[in-house]
Every structure is written in structure tokens, then in C-alpha cells.
Amino acid sequence: MHYRRDIDGLRALAILPVLLFHAHVPGFGGGYVGVDIFFVISGYLITGIIAREVDEGRFSLVRFYERRFRRIVPALGLMILVVLGLSALLYLPGDLEGVPRSALAATLFASNLWFFTDTGYFAGGADVKPLLHTWSLAVEEQYYIGFPILLMIIARFAPRWRTGVVVIIAAGSLALSIAMQRDTSGFAFYLLPTRAWELFAGALLALGAVPALRGRWLREGVAWGGIAAIALAVTCYDRDTLFPGFAALAPVLGAATLIHSAPGTSAGRVLGWSPLVGVGLVSYSLYLWHWPVIVFTEYATDMAVAGWTCIAVIAGSVIAAILSWRFVERPFRDSQAVPARTIFRFTGATMALLCGLSLALLAAGPWPSRFAPTVLAQVAGRNDISPERKRCHDIFARGARACVLGAAVAPDAMLWGDSHGVELAYALAPEGKAQGRALVQRTTSSCPPVLGYDAPKDARCAAANRAAFAALRADPAIRHVYLAAFWANGDFDDPGFVARLDRTIAAIRAAGREVVLIGPVPPQPFDVPRRLAHLTRAGRLALAEGVARSWVDGRTVHLRALFTRWQARGVRLIDPVAALCDARHCAIERDGKPLYFDSHHLSVAGARLVIARGG
């Protein structure tokens, strides 16, 4: 296959949106689709090589993997090594332990499997996973393991069926991806069965399954349509878009149409523009390095990159990519300078070294001796959660019986809400127990207690809310209903959400129950225990303060108008803002204890403070 400048330009269209999305640059909310473009490109290029060599009877798995190792391992190995070193230097206990696990998985090209198992609601945010981006490399490598063997088998037993078999597999993968687009387990996002169709889209082009476009203006229109489809996905998608699945068709088909029709068109000449080609040439290294640069910068500064910091991390990522391409990628691709036997030995030694270092860090565990006890005391705030969280939260999906907290009597109250209600329920329980009362907890992650609310990515939410309301109506002993949720997350900007909550409150009161609305918890722009640990380490804990009160008031102004209206109807309000905030700022610690266990969930200490002052 001859070299095509436009494909390197297409690589630039893949990596730049990913970089700008991760750097929080406005206008690139769907920049993550660049990974899907990479999948199409890889499927096209690799399939073209394999199919040609299989057809000519000279395909060798050994030679194939030699080329793959030259391309992937040297730069990847160096990046993983640097990540392990910086994590050991910077990361607090609780953050460090996941890094060697992900490094071990990335080294063995199984990081997508690891992150699939590590996608629990409180498994740790992406902002502390510097190797999260290696999941896509694992998908490609797993594809490379099976696909050459498939083509060899087809060539041996059914050569005429090659394209048909690939079409059938691709269609099945696409159908599965669409069927699972509301999946919340991570399967649809991370694993090969729901991603394979994207690689097969490129593979089918390489196999000649799509007829050539003859007319010049047809090719022009199709090529620019491909660019438009990619631009639409990059600018219009966001984190709430159901993805992959149906939405992935736009970037995948956009990339496929460009590969198929761009040569000889004005779109192809644009893609062949030297700056774009230059970015495409270093795109692999840029993909490898940009995410660790962003993650470690945000971790060290304890804030999201923005402004000059954003410009610095983008520039730093590009510089790291150029150096990696020039001094790591290019030398190892030279078969004269690095013979095949050497590359296999190097790959084995690199994998052995990284596995050994990862296992050593795993054995070290959180490695608390790196920090002073006062720092560790702040880190411990992450564990200040309800001891009943595992037993009582998200139990609807498990089909378990509802949890009762407090005295060993029939409950006369219910806390209905999302994960923000878990610690609040635990904080309410002691007072109830002292009075000989009990409370039933019904909480479901990312599911506010609003009848008719349809969680964008979890069909279970609506069912859980219906079950909670049915249980309430079926139990006349329950007289008080506490509603708690992440009210400050922006849902109140939707008039439909407000109307549904209004109807929910009216329905509860029509059933003869008292409604106690627990208002919005002020979210913080940082992980609170980590911020307190960093401040303690720097001897600046006295400067600890949360988000400005003026920001909270501005963010929740229309919530408060609604709360006032509901209070006039007899709804009781517990206001976390009044409990946590003074005239200037909202507190994040009291008596040396974090009031949050992350950036927006109250710790047990925080929940007790809110209940004590607001109840």
C-alpha cells in the first residue's frame, strides 16, 4: 500500500480533538470520538497489509508481530515507566494503588479488561488514572491477535467468503453496540465485541467491499460529508451522549468515507496539508503522552487545567510527543539499526521490567511511609462513608430487600434519593434510634427521587423510583419522606425535571405523607480529602476553604425559589448551604475532619453536621 498523506492528516483529525477534549477546551465536548477514527484507520491499514500478504502466500505471524512491537512497545514502555515513577512520587495513599494494577494490565495489553472491572461508581475518577487511555491500545492489540488468524483460516477454507464473513461479524458487533448503548457496566465502552465493528469498517475498505466512487463531484461531496460528520460529532457530542452505539456511526462513517474518497479531492488536499501531516506523524506518541501530562498536572495543582495551564499542558504534550517520535519511535522502526531478534528481546525485557516494577508497587500497597501522619489523617477522610453503603445502596438492581436503619421497629420514615442520600440516611439513623424510630433507605446511584425521570445512561433508574413510590404507598406506617439528591448538578435547568419533581412532591403529599426536602450540597471543584492532604503537606491547612458562597447562591438561585414555593405548601427543608457556608465560602473541614469524601458527596462527618444544624 502506497503512502497516503491524507491518512496522516486524518490521524491529526483524530488526535487533536482527543487532546483538546481532555484539556477541557470549550467546543470539543465530543473530542473523544477521535479514538473511533483511529480504530477505522488501524482497521484499514493493518487489514490491507495482512490481506495482501495472505493472498500472496507470504504472511507470517512472526513478521506481523515484529512490526507491531516496533510500532507500539518502545514508546508505550517508556510512557508506562515514567508514569510509575511519577505516581510513586506524587500520589497519595488511595490513589497510588490503582496505578501499578493498570500498568500491569497495559503492559499485557489488557487494560481495557482492567478498566472494565474498575468502573464502579466510586472506583476512582479518571483524573487519577494516568493510564486510562491505554484501553484503546488494548482493544487494537486484541483485534490484531484474532483477525490475522481469521483471515488465514478463511484463505485456507473459504476464500470466496472472506468479505461476507467480515460483513457478518461487523454487523453483529454493531448490533451489539447499539443494543448495549445504555449499558452502565463499561462493557460497551471498553471491550472488543462492541468496538470491533469500528475496526472492521476500515477493514472492509481495505478488502474492496465498497465500490470506488467514479464521479469527481460525488467524491468531493462524500469526502466533505465525512469531514462534516466528524466535526458534528466532535462539537455536538458531550459526556452525556450515549456512546458508543448509534452515535458512533457519525465519526466512524466519516473516517471511512474520507479514507475511501479523499484522494484527489480538495478535502484530501486539506488533509495533506503539511502541519496536519506533521501532527499525524507524531499522533501515536501524542496520544500516549497527553493524558499523563494532563492527569499529573491536575493532580499536582489540585485543579482542572484552564487558561495558561491548559496552554502549557498542550504545548508540553506536543513537545513530549515530538521527542518520543524522534528518539524512540523512529529508531526502533529501522530494521537495519534494530534487527528482528533484537526487537523481540527488547519487547520481552521491557515487559518483564514493567511487570516487575508494577508487582513491586503492588506489594508496597498504599506506601503510607512516604507521608506524615497528619497528611494520612486527611486522606482517611475518603473512608468516612456510611458503613451501610455496600449493604444498602443500589440494592434495587440486586433485588435485595430495602435497608432499615435505626431502632428494631417498623420504619416510620423513608429516605429516597441518589448516592447523596446514603450518608444522610446514616446520619439520620442515630436520632431516630434514640427515639425508638427507624428509617428505610432507598437510594440508587445517579437517580434523583423524581417519578418519570429517565436517567440518560441507566434504564434502571425509572424502575427504581417507581418501586420506591409503590413501597411508600403500600406502607401506611411511613409518615415522613426525605428526598435527597445531587440537586446542584444542573438538572434544575430543565423545566421538565422541575415539573416532574413538583408532581412527585404533590403525589407524596397526596398520599398523606410529610415531605422533607434535603437541599443542594455545595459541590467543590476538587477532591476534598486530597486538597486537605496537599494543604497539610504544605503546612497551609489554615487556608482550607471551599467554593465561594456567591457561586453557590448563583448556581442555586432558581432552586431556592422553588424551595420557597414548596415550603409554603408545607414541605420541610433541610438546607446544607446554611449548615456548611458562611457569607464568603463553604467549609470543607471541621475539627480536622473532611466534610466530603470526594468533591460533592458529604462524608459522615459532613452529613452529621448538616442534619444537626438543619433538622
Side-chain angles (χ1 to χ4, degrees):
M1 298 176 68
H2 64 280
Y3 171 68
R4 287 177 52 179
R5 289 173 61 86
D6 62 294
I7 288 185
D8 269 330
L10 185 57
R11 284 192 173 107
L13 290 192
I15 186 57
L16 290 176
V18 172
L19 170 62
L20 298 175
F21 168 70
H22 284 152
H24 315 301
V25 176
F28 292 87
Y32 52 82
V33 303
V35 172
D36 306 83
I37 299 171
F38 275 127
F39 284 159
V40 179
I41 296 172
S42 294
Y44 174 74
L45 294 177
I46 298 304
T47 301
I49 294 171
I50 297 172
R52 185 178 68 251
E53 294 183 355
V54 167
D55 290 345
E56 295 172 356
R58 59 186 181 87
F59 178 75
S60 165
L61 280 174
V62 173
R63 174 63 180 158
F64 175 75
Y65 286 114
E66 176 202 336
R67 291 193 296 257
R68 290 291 85 209
F69 289 156
R70 286 184 188 277
R71 168 72 168 157
I72 292 173
V73 173
L76 176 65
L78 177 60
M79 185 273 294
I80 294 175
L81 185 63
V82 171
V83 163
L84 287 172
L86 288 177
S87 299
L89 179 66
L90 292 175
Y91 271 23
L92 295 164
D95 295 330
L96 177 63
E97 297 91 316
V99 178
R101 291 186 177 94
S102 60
L104 189 63
T107 301
L108 300 174
F109 301 111
S111 56
N112 63 327
L113 302 175
W114 162 247
F115 289 118
F116 166 57
T117 65
D118 192 42
T119 54
Y121 193 70
F122 293 104
D127 60 338
V128 293
K129 296 177 180 178
L131 295 174
L132 179 62
H133 62 318
T134 62
W135 73 268
S136 64
L137 303 181
V139 169
E140 287 197 22
E141 289 308 305
Q142 290 157 19
Y143 174 81
Y144 297 149
I145 290 173
F147 192 59
I149 297 173
L150 174 64
L151 291 186
M152 292 171 68
I153 293 173
I154 293 174
R156 175 68 177 85
F157 297 104
R160 295 182 179 180
W161 288 91
R162 180 167 68 183
T163 300
V165 170
V166 174
V167 167
I168 291 171
I169 297 174
S173 173
L174 174 59
L176 181 63
S177 181
I178 293 174
M180 297 188 67
Q181 62 185 1
R182 293 185 64 138
D183 166 66
T184 59
S185 70
F187 185 102
F189 188 87
Y190 286 114
L191 300 190
L192 180 60
T194 49
R195 291 287 191 168
W197 70 274
E198 302 179 18
L199 291 135
F200 279 126
L204 288 170
L205 294 176
L207 295 175
V210 182
L213 301 178
R214 300 296 183 184
R216 175 187 171 188
W217 292 110
L218 177 61
R219 287 189 292 111
E220 287 279 359
V222 170
W224 281 107
I227 290 179
I230 292 172
L232 177 72
V234 168
T235 56
C236 296
Y237 291 3
D238 58 23
R239 296 178 185 272
D240 293 326
T241 301
L242 293 176
F243 199 90
F246 186 78
L249 284 168
V252 170
L253 294 181
T257 55
L258 282 169
I259 292 172
H260 191 55
S261 61
T265 67
S266 57
R269 289 191 292 275
V270 169
L271 292 177
W273 185 41
S274 294
L276 285 179
V277 172
V279 173
L281 288 172
V282 302
S283 59
Y284 174 59
S285 282
L286 185 52
Y287 183 78
L288 287 180
W289 287 101
H290 84 281
W291 180 243
V293 168
I294 292 171
V295 167
F296 286 127
T297 299
E298 292 187 337
Y299 196 92
T301 61
D302 207 23
M303 62 181 65
V305 296
W308 287 107
T309 307
C310 177
I311 294 172
V313 299
I314 292 174
S317 300
V318 171
I319 292 170
I322 293 172
L323 293 174
S324 174
W325 174 77
R326 174 63 182 84
F327 297 106
V328 181
E329 282 194 68
R330 283 185 61 185
F332 277 94
R333 290 190 193 179
D334 186 347
S335 59
Q336 299 298 319
V338 184
R341 182 171 296 180
T342 301
I343 196 65
F344 281 113
R345 287 175 176 171
F346 174 82
T347 298
T350 299
M351 295 179 72
L353 172 65
L354 294 175
C355 287
L357 290 174
S358 299
L359 291 172
L361 276 176
L362 278 173
W367 200 356
S369 60
R370 295 173 297 145
F371 302 99
T374 51
V375 174
L376 299 177
Q378 299 297 343
V379 176
R382 291 176 171 172
N383 299 319
D384 188 21
I385 63 177
S386 167
E388 305 292 348
R389 177 174 276 276
K390 185 174 182 180
R391 181 176 72 92
C392 296
H393 182 53
D394 273 337
I395 60 175
F396 173 80
R398 303 197 302 266
R401 296 179 62 185
C403 268
V404 176
L405 307 176
V409 297
D412 69 343
M414 172 191 290
L415 188 140
W416 177 13
D418 63 12
S419 59
H420 275 239
V422 178
E423 280 62 43
L424 290 164
Y426 185 73
L428 284 164
E431 179 183 354
K433 186 174 183 179
Q435 299 172 0
R437 300 168 53 205
L439 172 145
V440 60
Q441 175 183 329
R442 286 186 173 270
T443 53
T444 304
S445 290
S446 302
C447 184
V450 178
L451 293 172
Y453 177 80
D454 187 18
K457 295 185 178 182
D458 193 349
R460 299 174 304 173
C461 176
N465 280 336
R466 288 194 299 270
F469 187 68
L472 167 67
R473 295 187 63 181
D475 189 348
I478 295 178
R479 308 306 306 165
H480 314 280
V481 181
Y482 295 85
L483 301 180
F486 189 12
W487 303 122
N489 72 345
D491 279 334
F492 275 88
D493 295 335
D494 176 12
F497 179 86
V498 174
R500 285 189 289 272
L501 178 57
D502 206 5
R503 289 194 294 270
T504 301
I505 292 173
I508 296 172
R509 298 192 71 244
R513 320 300 165 89
E514 181 197 32
V515 176
V516 183
L517 193 62
I518 303 178
V521 172
Q524 304 299 333
F526 44 73
D527 180 284
V528 170
R530 187 193 307 156
R531 168 63 65 88
L532 294 174
H534 285 170
L535 289 173
T536 301
R537 194 178 185 187
R540 302 169 60 196
L541 184 60
L543 301 178
E545 59 185 22
V547 70
R549 173 65 182 265
S550 59
W551 183 90
V552 174
D553 289 343
R555 187 70 187 85
T556 60
V557 61
H558 46 306
L559 277 75
R560 295 186 171 281
L562 292 167
F563 292 155
T564 300
R565 187 179 78 192
W566 286 324
Q567 280 182 291
R569 298 178 183 175
V571 173
R572 187 156 62 94
L573 175 66
I574 295 177
D575 188 3
V577 173
L580 298 173
C581 306
D582 58 24
R584 294 180 60 251
H585 289 92
C586 296
I588 56 175
E589 62 88 25
R590 280 287 187 275
D591 302 323
K593 292 184 177 181
L595 297 178
Y596 298 73
F597 67 77
D598 59 10
S599 64
H600 57 91
H601 288 88
L602 292 174
S603 63
V604 170
R608 285 173 173 164
L609 178 63
V610 167
I611 295 302
R613 296 192 180 181

